[in-house]
Amino acid sequence: MPIVNRAVTVKNPNGLHLRPWYMVVKLVQPYKSKIEIVKEFVRVDARSVLSLMTLGVRHGETIVVEADGEDAEAAVAALGDFLDGYVETEEQ
């Protein structure tokens, strides 16, 4: 099966920190594929909050969601859509 990937530019003014990464980890749990987030030359497991935190993703930076496995397309679509639309509101 081919590896599926999608680039996403971070719109959240605060970048991606603990709250959105925790939401990512919960989102990817049902998928069987190997799912990673890539920033420049660093690749981390999307199921590990600590690994995701090490990326230090800031507003305006582009990351790549990558998946390899039977449900890779669905995983990349769901995660890409979440990250593409994630912007914190005042209440958060």
Side-chain angles (χ1 to χ4, degrees), residues 22-86:
Y22 177 73
M23 294 164 81
V24 162
V25 169
K26 288 184 67 143
L27 179 71
V28 301
Q29 290 311 312
Y31 296 100
K32 294 183 171 102
S33 296
K34 177 181 178 184
I35 306 167
E36 296 179 314
I37 304 292
V38 184
K39 178 185 168 192
E40 297 168 357
F41 301 105
V42 181
R43 169 182 303 274
V44 299
D45 184 354
R47 289 182 168 84
S48 168
V49 173
L50 289 177
S51 294
L52 291 164
M53 292 288 293
T54 65
L55 292 175
V57 180
R58 296 190 170 110
H59 174 260
E61 291 185 317
T62 299
I63 57 175
V64 176
V65 177
E66 189 172 284
D68 183 12
E70 64 187 69
D71 52 6
E73 283 190 37
V76 168
L79 189 50
D81 289 348
F82 169 76
L83 290 169
D84 194 43
Y86 185 81

